[in-house]
Amino acid sequence: MSDPSGAKKPAEPSLLCPSAPAGEGAIVLGVVRSDGTVGYLGERLPVTAEFLDRLRSGPAPEARFRFGAPCRESACAQWSDGGCGLPGGLAALVPPEETPDALPRCSIRRQCRWFHQRGVSACRICPLVMTREAGVPAVGAGPHGRSEQQR
Ligand code: SF4
């Protein structure tokens, strides 16, 4: 709908996927701990080519870190009914009594796609999410599913 005053509305800041594949332009959101939960970085750490080079050997980067990147919306296999299907799907899998009370101190909350859709309930599940399990091949795996094959 157009603004009757004719004034242009400021563009909404683009939302970030909090479980994105590793790649240049992404940021490191957190580190996967030995117990599989995520420890968040308080500040956004840009992913560089050098960082990706260092991650070439060993388990998939997404099994060791969580990355944030601009939400691809309908270009992502997880997009359904006008939103990301993951936070709702994860909420159905994890009983609330198994989620931590304290919210992670993450660096992207104001821009996070999952927080935007589900508020703090997404944040309580978020530390339990690993983007890709160690040893799982890149193609077709992880929350981006088919869309990863196109990268
Ligand atoms: S769901 Fe919450 S904790 Fe996870 S990245 Fe988004 S804002 Fe941060």
Side-chain angles (χ1 to χ4, degrees):
M1 187 186 292
S2 62
D3 184 335
S5 72
K8 270 193 168 179
K9 281 189 176 176
E12 281 202 8
S14 63
L15 296 178
L16 297 176
C17 166
S19 189
E24 279 191 77
I27 57 166
V28 183
L29 190 60
V31 179
V32 178
R33 301 184 184 108
S34 57
D35 67 357
T37 64
V38 176
Y40 294 80
L41 306 186
E43 294 187 5
R44 301 179 183 200
L45 181 68
V47 172
T48 61
E50 293 75 23
F51 181 73
L52 292 172
D53 267 354
R54 276 191 271 149
L55 295 179
R56 245 179 240 289
S57 60
E62 296 85 356
R64 292 185 269 172
F65 297 92
R66 281 268 304 278
F67 299 95
C71 172
R72 301 177 67 218
E73 301 189 349
S74 57
C76 176
Q78 299 298 340
W79 191 258
S80 71
D81 293 331
C84 176
L86 269 177
L90 292 165
L93 290 175
V94 185
E97 61 272 18
E98 289 181 20
T99 62
D101 288 335
L103 299 187
R105 295 185 60 191
C106 91
S107 62
I108 67 165
R109 186 155 291 131
R110 284 169 46 186
Q111 251 186 298
C112 175
R113 159 64 64 192
W114 293 2
F115 180 76
H116 186 76
Q117 289 183 200
R118 296 188 65 91
V120 295
S121 62
C123 300
R124 294 207 162 92
I125 292 173
C126 190
L128 310 178
V129 176
M130 194 191 298
T131 303
R132 184 180 299 161
E133 288 181 41
V136 176
V139 174
H144 285 249
R146 289 189 310 274
S147 63
E148 286 188 344
Q149 296 174 45
Q150 297 155 9
R151 287 167 204 276

